[in-house]
């Protein structure tokens, strides 16, 4: 009797084990598919590398007689390659490619300003143009202690005088004179004054967070060697809705860059994307900026930049194009010292959103405007441009400027 009970117990045990194994095999069939969310992972920061170039795998650029190189030898020729033509209103705005030329739908070229003034329409043809005011724009000017006098004085004298309430100065030093001049629109980031990738990303991180706090509709970043035409900027951004995903600016390269992806993987995979150079300025809608938050807000921008080993403007492009898959809208209205500025002449100068000038090594790289100040009086040409735009300015010549 005892033996039969033992045998029965063994049989029950084997049946239980068999049933449990069968259940384990069925579990995967009833599970729902889980989709990985691409939030920043807790990888250790990679070794420091301040060079954007060394981390990119650049496709071979086509040779061009008009091309030139920046300080690190990167070809910044703007040549026409593969591109997607995005139709907005009565013209084509080329996005995702390298062409910076705008055309009417019938193919005839038009001025950049006239083109940007036209209504932008969505896929269904509905206008997305909104009533925008200058106070809706947050203009961040990145600077450093050594340029407070030589560069910022010129900006305050010229374009900032027309957009003082919209402009915020981001620097790395508590300057009493600048504080008196700008008030709480001067933000001491407490970032390093050294021109390194980490310091640049530190300032961009503060810019981004301050913009979100402001509640304004548009975030626009420029450098302290840019002239901003506030009215042209307003007209450009009015053609979009701030609730939509808009990233507009000008790339300094004629091709997308490719970088190791340390955010979504261990760096064994790469990602290709365009970025708008910070030296020419760029703008981001609030709707898109909010979507950037997991990788950009509350210091996350710095950690994201460390993982992908990119400078500030490249990291912006990585987050927007690489992670959020929103295409950069390439605009010809933004300009940096990396391009040949002498090609901008006469009336066309007044139609741009941003301008710049060459550094000490290239002092002659300035826009071509005449009839106001000479080169010796106005080496950057910013004062001349300002007087053409605002002839009633007290320090402008009284003669007819037109």
């Amino acid at each position: 009797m005892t033996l039969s009970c033992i045998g029965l117990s063994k049989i029950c045990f084997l049946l239980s084990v068999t049933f449990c194994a069968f259940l384990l095999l069925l579990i995967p069939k009833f599970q729902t598919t889980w989709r990985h969310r691409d939030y920043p992972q807790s990888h250790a920061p990679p070794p420091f590398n301040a060079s954007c170039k060394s981390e990119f795998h650049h496709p071979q650029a086509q040779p061009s007689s008009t091309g030139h190189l920046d300080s690190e030898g990167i070809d910044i020729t703007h040549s026409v390659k593969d591109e997607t033509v995005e139709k907005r209103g009565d013209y084509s705005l080329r996005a995702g490619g390298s062409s910076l030329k705008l055309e009417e739908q019938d193919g005839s070229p038009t001025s950049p300003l006239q083109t940007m003034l036209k209504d932008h329409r969505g896929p269904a043809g509905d206008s997305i143009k909104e009533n925008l005011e200058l106070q809706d724009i947050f203009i961040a000017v990145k600077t450093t202690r050594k340029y407070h006098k030589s560069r910022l004085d010129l900006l305050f004298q010229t374009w900032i005088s027309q957009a003082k309430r919209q402009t915020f100065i981001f620097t790395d030093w508590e300057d009493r004179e600048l504080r008196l001049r700008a008030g709480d629109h001067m933000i001491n980031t407490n970032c390093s004054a050294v021109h390194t990738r980490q310091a640049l990303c530190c300032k961009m991180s503060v810019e981004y967070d301050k913009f979100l706090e402001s509640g304004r509709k548009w975030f626009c970043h420029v450098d302290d060697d840019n002239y901003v035409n506030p009215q042209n900027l307003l007209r450009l951004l009015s053609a979009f809705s701030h609730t939509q995903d808009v990233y507009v600016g000008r790339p300094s390269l004629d091709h997308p860059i490719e970088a190791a992806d340390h955010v979504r993987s261990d760096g064994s995979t790469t990602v290709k994307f365009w970025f708008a150079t910070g030296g020419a300025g760029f703008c981001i809608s609030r709707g898109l900026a909010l979507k950037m938050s997991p990788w950009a807000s509350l210091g996350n921008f710095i950690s994201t930049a460390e993982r992908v080993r990119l400078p500030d403007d490249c990291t912006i492009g990585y987050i927007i194009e690489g992670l959020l898959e929103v295409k950069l809208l390439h605009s010809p209205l933004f300009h940096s010292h990396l391009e040949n500025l002498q090609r901008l002449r006469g009336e066309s100068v007044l139609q741009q959103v941003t301008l710049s000038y060459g550094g000490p090594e290239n002092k002659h790289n300035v826009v071509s405007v005449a009839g106001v100040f000479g080169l010796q009086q106005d080496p950057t040409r910013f004062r001349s441009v300002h007087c053409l735009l605002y002839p009633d300015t007290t320090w402008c010549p009284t003669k007819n400027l037109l």
Side-chain angles (χ1 to χ4, degrees), residues 161-179:
S161 67
Q162 303 297 315
K164 193 171 183 180
R165 294 183 179 180
Q166 293 74 42
T167 306
F168 297 80
I169 311 296
F170 290 83
T171 187
D172 44 47
W173 184 56
E174 187 60 40
D175 186 331
R176 181 178 299 179
E177 184 178 340
L178 181 59
R179 176 67 69 188

Side-chain angles (χ1 to χ4, degrees), residues 33-39 41 263-265:
T33 303
W34 177 73
R35 185 177 179 182
H36 176 68
R37 299 187 71 180
D38 298 322
Y39 292 125
Q41 304 300 315
V263 172
R264 294 178 296 186
S265 70

